[in-house]
Amino acid sequence: MSGELSPIDKAKFVAAKRAADFVEDGMRVGLGTGSTAAWLVRSLGEMVREEGLKIRGVPTSTRTAQLAREVGIEVISLDEARWLDLTIDGADEFDADLNLIKGGGGALLQEKIVATASDRMIVIADIGKQVETLGAFPLPVEVIPFGWRTTQALIEEMLISMDVLGRSTTLRMNGDRPYVTDEGNHILDLHLKRIGNGRQLALVLNQMPGVVENGLFIDICDMVVVGYGDGRVEIRDINEGTIEHDRMDFLESDNLFSDLAD
């Protein structure tokens, strides 16, 4: 029940619930990955079952695809959709310009492909994800397994000339084995502490052999829906330059929470 949610989970829930209002009948919708995006998928599933909403969802990971099917959303591939009306996803950090760090859940490659194949991208997040400057959250970089140690060394050498505070990097692990993405790659987490020029860093990273994609989403997000633990919601539209405020009610009868696994 919603009354049993922590303040952070309440904030994630209200952001997702409010963002679901932007989804209209007939839309092709990119479905993000992560705990906040899972609230969104559940909310949309409820709208499909109870309100007859008809949408087609393009998931950004195998686990999002599984959840979407479980709640009754029609799942199609991006190749089938070709272009999307809207993508809604979470973020690990966002700044005042709605630039993002994503990839904490390991799906940054598919997330960026889907987001950039959309007319609009909406980010849903709790207020704790807002930062003045990106970089406190480790920046994920997806790399091919072949020669990953060499790629790691090249990245660390390159960081010397970048406007960052930290230069250490670690291979993301899954237990005692390297984490493997849906595309069969590894992830290097860059512990930069502060990123002074995200646009430059993103461009340089993606020019390096062995790097598939990085978790900096620059000029991709159009709107962020920020949730607070008391039910307040703030909607920031970077294109319109507007900030709106709303409040979502918690219903004890809400059944979205019973078996959601983050």
Side-chain angles (χ1 to χ4, degrees):
M1 291 297 177
S2 58
E4 299 171 354
L5 293 175
S6 69
I8 290 178
D9 281 335
K10 286 181 181 179
K12 293 178 179 181
F13 169 68
V14 296
K17 194 78 168 175
R18 181 63 180 85
D21 292 340
F22 292 99
V23 178
E24 300 175 3
D25 209 51
M27 275 188 169
R28 293 160 296 179
V29 183
L31 305 174
T33 295
S35 59
T36 312
W39 292 119
L40 182 277
V41 174
R42 286 289 175 131
S43 296
L44 291 178
E46 184 180 50
M47 293 167 68
V48 167
R49 296 189 307 272
E50 299 185 5
E51 302 173 20
L53 178 71
K54 290 181 171 56
I55 61 171
R56 289 178 291 172
V58 175
T60 54
S61 66
T62 54
R63 59 185 180 276
T64 295
Q66 179 180 354
L67 177 59
R69 292 188 180 100
E70 287 175 358
V71 301
I73 297 173
E74 180 185 354
V75 172
I76 62 173
S77 69
L78 183 58
D79 287 334
E80 291 174 292
R82 303 191 69 175
W83 194 259
L84 304 177
D85 300 289
L86 176 66
T87 287
I88 305 178
D89 203 349
D92 298 302
E93 286 185 347
F94 68 91
D95 66 15
D97 295 320
L98 305 195
N99 294 315
L100 321 169
I101 286 182
K102 289 180 52 55
L108 64 104
L109 176 58
Q110 292 189 26
E111 287 174 336
K112 189 174 281 190
I113 292 171
V114 168
T116 54
S118 304
D119 287 337
R120 281 200 304 164
M121 181 193 189
I122 297 177
V123 160
I124 48 179
D126 62 89
I127 187 59
K129 302 298 174 61
Q130 176 180 308
V131 296
E132 184 174 340
T133 304
L134 297 177
F137 190 91
L139 174 65
V141 177
E142 187 159 341
V143 299
I144 65 170
F146 176 80
W148 71 265
R149 291 185 184 276
T150 299
T151 304
Q152 181 182 32
L154 290 172
I155 290 173
E156 290 177 348
E157 182 178 0
M158 175 273 294
L159 289 174
I160 296 174
S161 62
M162 293 291 108
D163 184 8
V164 296
L165 287 184
R167 295 196 299 270
S168 67
T169 68
T170 55
L171 178 69
R172 187 176 300 185
M173 303 296 290
N174 182 14
D176 59 353
R177 295 177 178 273
Y179 178 87
V180 178
T181 70
D182 280 354
E183 300 300 320
N185 298 315
H186 295 334
I187 289 181
L188 294 173
D189 288 310
L190 280 50
H191 305 272
L192 307 178
K193 300 179 183 178
R194 176 188 174 278
I195 299 172
N197 189 332
R199 190 183 311 278
Q200 178 191 42
L201 179 59
L203 288 171
V204 173
L205 279 168
N206 281 9
Q207 290 174 349
M208 304 188 70
V211 171
V212 180
E213 189 53 83
N214 70 84
L216 283 165
F217 284 51
I218 308 296
D219 297 334
I220 295 175
C221 177
D222 299 286
M223 176 185 294
V224 62
V225 180
V226 185
Y228 294 78
D230 61 1
R232 288 180 296 131
V233 177
E234 189 172 272
I235 304 163
R236 307 177 192 175
D237 190 318
I238 194 71
N239 299 314
E240 298 295 331
T242 58
I243 300 177
E244 299 178 16
H245 297 89
D246 202 349
R247 179 176 291 275
M248 307 296 293
D249 293 326
F250 293 100
L251 301 178
E252 290 300 322
S253 60
D254 213 313
N255 60 1
L256 296 176
F257 320 105
S258 56
D259 57 353
L260 178 64
D262 284 354

